[in-house]
Amino acid sequence: MLDDYEGLYDNDGWLKLSGNYGKKIKNYQANGLEIWYTGEIMTEIRTRPSEISSMFLGRVTNDFQEFIELEEFDNQEFITNDGGLSISLDRFSAIVRQWEVFLQRNPKSALKKEAKELFSIYQRGYLIGLDNTPVAEYSDGMIYSENKENFKRYLDYYPNSPTSKLIKLLFELEGDYEVMGEEMDKAQRKSLQKL
């Protein structure tokens, strides 16, 4: 069924709830699953993110519940696709901030390692960019105005956060993209050790 991409969607990209797979898709949906288009005509079946948090509500410790809810927030849509950012910078910065707060609030969590790994990936993507969505021009290292404005808002809202300290360093390093990346990697590693 998943290999028959064209059989799953209509011309407008909506799932067909009739035809060859309609009954099967409705059954999946009724049981908390969804057909998830992952790009480049690839599709998978996944548990709806909201199903997981509601399944464990009141049955796990607060840090586990918070972790699950953060993952639900992250997985509502693709953060990246094909090496590029596929959400707004405001949403991306909110994701970074939420994981940062989780780590600060839950320093002894059994999920600290997993949370730190996710936070590290998101924070680096936010600060340096992704292959197809850099934060600065490769040729001159100048930070794009949209990113700069978002970074300034982050600094205004969370002036004492670990990410804000890295943003300030990023502004100091502006002008050489390669140096920005190298120095930010070093500074991020040191920052993560403190969490």
Side-chain angles (χ1 to χ4, degrees):
M1 180 181 89
L2 295 178
D3 290 336
D4 186 12
Y5 172 82
E6 292 173 353
L8 296 176
Y9 301 94
D10 65 20
N11 291 336
D12 295 321
W14 294 97
L15 276 173
K16 293 180 189 176
L17 296 179
S18 60
N20 294 342
Y21 305 117
K23 186 175 180 182
K24 191 177 274 195
I25 291 170
K26 286 179 187 176
N27 186 38
Y28 288 150
Q29 291 174 337
N31 288 289
L33 300 173
E34 65 184 357
I35 306 296
W36 182 248
Y37 175 65
T38 60
E40 298 184 14
I41 68 166
M42 300 291 293
T43 305
E44 62 184 44
I45 299 170
R46 72 175 194 158
T47 304
R48 268 193 308 262
S50 61
E51 289 293 315
I52 297 169
S53 62
S54 64
M55 185 184 318
F56 289 100
L57 185 62
R59 295 185 174 118
V60 292
T61 59
N62 290 341
D63 62 316
F64 269 73
Q65 186 66 40
E66 185 178 354
F67 185 93
I68 292 167
E69 288 170 358
L70 287 175
E71 284 201 316
E72 176 185 341
F73 181 75
D74 296 355
N75 291 318
Q76 291 173 358
E77 58 188 318
F78 282 110
I79 295 171
T80 65
N81 197 356
D82 194 28
L85 187 64
S86 56
I87 59 173
S88 72
L89 284 173
D90 287 337
R91 178 156 160 72
F92 199 27
S93 65
I95 289 169
V96 169
R97 179 62 184 160
Q98 288 178 338
W99 284 106
E100 184 174 73
V101 168
F102 174 87
L103 288 165
Q104 292 170 331
R105 191 176 10 226
N106 302 288
K108 297 184 189 291
S109 173
L111 294 166
K112 182 177 180 176
K113 181 180 177 187
E114 291 85 352
K116 207 172 191 179
E117 192 172 306
L118 285 168
F119 173 63
S120 171
I121 292 166
Y122 293 148
Q123 187 188 53
R124 187 177 196 300
Y126 176 62
L127 295 170
I128 296 297
L130 307 166
D131 290 344
N132 294 330
T133 315
V135 300
E137 186 62 48
Y138 290 118
S139 61
D140 63 10
M142 298 308 293
I143 300 171
Y144 295 122
S145 61
E146 181 183 10
N147 295 87
K148 194 173 271 192
E149 289 169 19
N150 187 275
F151 289 151
K152 287 178 181 176
R153 279 194 302 276
Y154 197 99
L155 287 170
D156 287 343
Y157 292 138
Y158 318 110
N160 300 316
S161 85
T163 301
S164 290
K165 291 175 185 169
L166 294 174
I167 290 171
K168 290 173 188 173
L169 176 62
L170 186 66
F171 285 159
E172 291 173 17
L173 297 169
E174 185 177 20
D176 187 328
Y177 192 79
E178 192 172 316
V179 170
M180 285 169 63
E182 292 169 3
E183 292 302 315
M184 289 304 294
D185 281 344
K186 290 178 197 171
Q188 186 192 31
R189 277 193 299 274
K190 287 181 185 174
S191 177
L192 288 169
Q193 290 172 355
K194 297 175 184 174
L195 286 176

